[in-house]
Amino acid sequence: MSTNNTYPIVKVTNNLPHEIEIYDVFNPSKGGVKETYQYTKLSTIASGATSDVQTIRKGSLLQAMFTGVIEQLDNKYYYQFPIKTMSAIQFTFDNPPPLTYSIETSDKASTIQSFLFHRFIMANPNSALTKNLYSALKKGSVDSVNAFFASTKNFKNCTLSSWNIVQTWLQMFTSGWQGPYYLYEEAPTPLPANYIPVLIATLNIVSSAKENLATLSMCSEDAKGNPVFANPPQHTTVVMNGDGTMGDDNPGQDVSVTLTPVWMNVIQTSMKKGTPVSNYLAGPAVTGTVANKKVVSSQTARQLPESKKINTKKTSSFDASFAKLGQMVGLIVGLLFLGEFAMKIGKSAKEKVDKLKEKANSDKDFKDGEETIDKTPDQEVTAEATSKESEFNTDAEEVSQSYNQTSEALQENVMTETMEDTSKNIQEELSNQIEEGYTPTQDFEDAVSDMENSFEEIKTDIENGNFSEANTKLSDVSENMDKTLKDNESSLEDWEKSSLEESSEAVDNAAKESDALDKAQEEHDQEIKDEADDSGFNENDDMPETDSIPEGEMAL
């Protein structure tokens, strides 16, 4: 677009410790159909510098943006991360003040916190924080939402404006959703016995100083059912559609893609000083269709494409939680209207403020009018939020229950699989020793019999949903084996000692891992109800662990 000197000049001062870029932001959407915004770079402003920015259209909306690593957002590299929005609409009264803006550290802190806030509330719709937000949105005004943010512990720098800036950016840039995604065909309902998730494609969203790209690669299966990349390769470049969904960059020519990204909790267990610790961590997920097949993503793979080695423990754990994955992501997608309420309030208020700027007779006249606009409820949003409140509460509770059910499924899997493997290994060892002519001691047979009886009790507890009781009994099995080893050290054969030691260690590890999952679930349930502590938000939480997509399949 050619420059017209009749358009306003905006003076912008950059008080950040790094350079920023100023963009003209234009929304080409018409007739209710959303399109990707058009960003035109107008200026680069060094740290500490002031620049006169020539606008390129009437009523320009400018945005200060930053490309680079953001330490507070997992030390990742982001493209055109938004910092501040600036209106280039000039007052019309006599001798209006010049259009001047400064970009401060508080502006950047505001949008960074808004990103973290958005991620948290989407992943935790049943939290006290999210419910308080809903109450503020239902009141329908800029002031009601800003008062909500001011009342929080961790998000005081956020405003309705900064949250909407981040939401818009996430709808326009894949950089906000970076990471590997493994897209599996959605599980059928009801779930068949021994169901194995089928990998349809991988999606790799890369954001670095060298590239900014989202590539989908189709997968198939080999003769043994193992995932392999399609041959010949089938790649599609994925872009944001401007409405919160992702699609193929070349519709009708490549693989058809329609995906909706969201944030959801992932339950992950890691070892810390030899002890398993489980945490709920918010990470991205996508759901939608690829090549007309319904898919849902995971950032870890059941099995990496073309991998020769299968981790049976990993695949078993993956299968245990996969059934709930599609349901959880689908429910969260259904709750995206929460953010839409905020954007409607912000858009309505902005349109009124822009008109006020053109009609105001003085600076005081404008400020008084803006104050009225900010405190006046958007009746449409208030009515819609009121009508959807029951739906929101029901679906938010279902998301919470799905998290709990996923945790229980993982607990059941780790305990059941360990018991089955332990019984199998001991019986195989017994058979081998008997074939070699050895006779097991009575102490060993008694220990094995007690173990099997305890396993049956534990299985009953698991079936009845008594996971805490099952954890305790599984731990007792390990302690009883250790006691047998200690009390009968001189009478047990070496192979019996070795068998009991290995079994005790395996059972003890399973009990600890299951207990860690149980505690994480209880702590998370309690934390999200803690209104005074912003529902358990922790700015030091890491992103969930991921499986890197194999080299050679990441780019076109």
Side-chain angles (χ1 to χ4, degrees):
M1 179 178 290
S2 61
T3 300
N4 184 334
N5 288 334
T6 64
Y7 297 137
I9 290 177
V10 180
K11 187 180 293 292
V12 181
T13 300
N14 176 18
N15 289 325
L16 293 175
H18 52 71
E19 72 174 27
I20 58 172
E21 296 171 333
I22 306 299
Y23 286 83
D24 171 86
V25 184
F26 176 69
N27 180 3
S29 304
K30 294 180 181 179
V33 179
K34 290 185 177 181
E35 294 185 32
T36 306
Y37 288 3
Q38 296 171 4
Y39 291 80
T40 303
K41 185 177 175 181
L42 303 181
S43 178
T44 298
I45 306 177
S47 174
T50 297
S51 178
D52 288 337
V53 180
Q54 174 66 63
T55 60
I56 59 175
R57 70 182 80 249
K58 181 181 179 181
S60 286
L61 180 68
L62 305 184
Q63 199 162 90
M65 309 187 89
F66 169 70
T67 295
V69 174
I70 299 179
E71 180 183 356
Q72 301 93 325
L73 299 181
D74 312 298
N75 272 313
K76 291 186 176 181
Y77 191 98
Y78 293 93
Y79 276 84
Q80 290 181 232
F81 184 80
I83 298 174
K84 187 171 185 173
T85 293
M86 299 163 284
S87 171
I89 296 176
Q90 181 61 279
F91 290 111
T92 56
F93 52 79
D94 292 338
N95 297 317
L99 292 170
T100 61
Y101 292 94
S102 64
I103 311 302
E104 309 291 341
T105 55
S106 59
D107 295 319
K108 188 176 180 182
S110 182
T111 50
I112 288 173
Q113 277 193 10
S114 294
F115 183 99
L116 295 170
F117 170 78
H118 185 74
R119 186 167 76 184
F120 184 83
I121 63 163
M122 288 292 103
N124 297 282
N126 202 42
S127 69
L129 182 71
T130 311
K131 289 179 178 179
N132 289 344
L133 169 67
Y134 199 100
S135 296
L137 290 169
K138 192 169 66 169
K139 293 177 181 177
S141 72
V142 173
D143 282 356
S144 66
V145 179
N146 286 341
F148 156 77
F149 282 122
S151 71
T152 64
K153 176 182 176 182
N154 296 291
F155 306 106
K156 291 185 182 297
N157 286 326
C158 297
T159 63
L160 175 66
S161 176
S162 67
W163 181 27
N164 283 341
I165 291 171
V166 168
Q167 287 196 86
T168 300
W169 176 73
L170 286 169
Q171 292 179 351
M172 305 297 158
F173 294 87
T174 58
S175 181
W177 301 100
Q178 57 192 277
Y181 299 84
Y182 295 87
L183 308 181
Y184 289 86
E185 190 166 6
E186 192 174 282
T189 303
L191 195 69
N194 302 317
Y195 174 75
I196 297 177
V198 179
L199 184 64
I200 299 296
T202 63
L203 172 62
N204 202 60
I205 300 180
V206 180
S207 182
S208 68
K210 294 182 178 180
E211 57 183 335
N212 179 32
L213 188 66
T215 304
L216 182 137
S217 302
M218 295 298 292
C219 293
S220 59
E221 295 180 341
D222 64 16
K224 296 182 179 179
N226 300 320
V228 295
F229 287 107
N231 189 16
Q234 290 179 271
H235 299 301
T236 298
T237 298
V238 174
V239 296
M240 300 305 298
N241 292 326
D243 60 355
T245 65
M246 299 174 175
D248 44 308
D249 188 34
N250 196 9
Q253 303 299 316
D254 299 318
V255 177
S256 62
V257 178
T258 302
L259 300 169
T260 301
V262 296
W263 299 99
M264 65 173 288
N265 281 327
V266 178
I267 308 170
Q268 290 195 338
T269 302
S270 59
M271 298 299 292
K272 293 185 178 180
K273 296 182 179 180
T275 300
V277 177
S278 296
N279 291 298
Y280 279 75
L281 302 173
V286 299
T287 186
T289 60
V290 172
N292 298 317
K293 292 184 178 180
K294 290 184 177 181
V295 298
V296 63
S297 77
S298 172
Q299 287 201 292
T300 57
R302 183 181 188 272
Q303 180 189 346
L304 288 172
E306 299 174 326
S307 173
K308 303 297 183 183
K309 188 176 181 181
I310 301 176
N311 184 333
T312 55
K313 183 176 181 180
K314 180 181 178 182
T315 58
S316 176
S317 176
F318 187 98
D319 294 351
S321 61
F322 182 78
K324 282 292 174 187
L325 187 60
Q327 179 185 356
M328 282 191 291
V329 178
L331 285 167
I332 293 173
V333 168
L335 296 174
L336 291 177
F337 61 77
L338 199 68
E340 292 173 3
F341 290 158
M343 298 187 81
K344 287 179 181 179
I345 294 171
K347 180 182 178 182
S348 175
K350 180 184 179 303
E351 290 175 349
K352 292 174 183 176
V353 168
D354 287 348
K355 290 179 181 178
L356 179 63
K357 264 194 173 183
E358 296 175 344
K359 295 179 180 180
N361 296 317
S362 65
D363 187 48
K364 181 180 185 305
D365 188 23
F366 171 75
K367 288 181 179 178
D368 289 344
E370 185 179 34
E371 185 178 322
T372 299
I373 290 169
D374 286 349
K375 69 182 181 182
T376 302
D378 183 312
Q379 296 299 334
E380 183 179 330
V381 171
T382 297
E384 189 176 0
T386 300
S387 68
K388 285 191 172 184
E389 187 166 16
S390 177
E391 174 190 344
F392 169 80
N393 289 333
T394 298
D395 288 352
E397 177 60 29
E398 283 193 38
V399 172
S400 180
Q401 290 177 1
S402 293
Y403 287 148
N404 291 345
Q405 289 165 4
T406 299
S407 175
E408 290 174 354
L410 291 171
Q411 290 181 67
E412 178 178 355
N413 178 72
V414 69
M415 288 191 285
T416 301
E417 187 177 65
T418 299
M419 290 187 292
E420 290 175 351
D421 289 348
T422 300
S423 295
K424 178 183 177 183
N425 292 339
I426 285 182
Q427 292 304 322
E428 286 179 352
E429 181 67 19
L430 270 171
S431 297
N432 291 337
Q433 294 298 331
I434 290 173
E435 286 180 6
E436 294 293 328
Y438 293 102
T439 301
T441 64
Q442 188 62 48
D443 291 327
F444 181 78
E445 288 188 336
D446 289 344
V448 172
S449 177
D450 290 343
M451 178 196 75
E452 295 291 359
N453 290 335
S454 295
F455 281 175
E456 291 303 315
E457 292 181 13
I458 293 169
K459 290 175 184 177
T460 300
D461 286 332
I462 292 173
E463 290 174 1
N464 294 331
N466 299 325
F467 292 96
S468 295
E469 184 68 20
N471 289 342
T472 300
K473 289 181 179 178
L474 198 62
S475 182
D476 289 343
V477 170
S478 175
E479 291 179 3
N480 290 338
M481 289 183 185
D482 290 342
K483 187 174 186 302
T484 297
L485 284 165
K486 181 178 179 181
D487 293 347
N488 303 281
E489 185 177 3
S490 59
S491 60
L492 290 170
E493 300 291 343
D494 287 344
W495 66 268
E496 291 176 327
K497 294 177 185 178
S498 178
S499 181
L500 289 177
E501 286 170 355
E502 291 174 1
S503 298
S504 175
E505 182 178 4
V507 169
D508 184 53
N509 288 339
K512 288 178 179 176
E513 185 174 343
S514 178
D515 186 55
L517 287 164
D518 196 38
K519 287 180 178 177
Q521 176 186 326
E522 290 179 358
E523 289 174 1
H524 181 260
D525 287 346
Q526 183 58 45
E527 286 173 346
I528 65 170
K529 296 174 183 176
D530 189 351
E531 178 181 336
D533 196 29
D534 285 356
S535 307
F537 170 79
N538 186 346
E539 63 180 5
N540 296 318
D541 277 347
D542 296 323
M543 289 287 284
E545 295 178 3
T546 62
D547 287 332
S548 297
I549 294 173
E551 292 290 337
E553 298 300 331
M554 292 187 178
L556 296 174

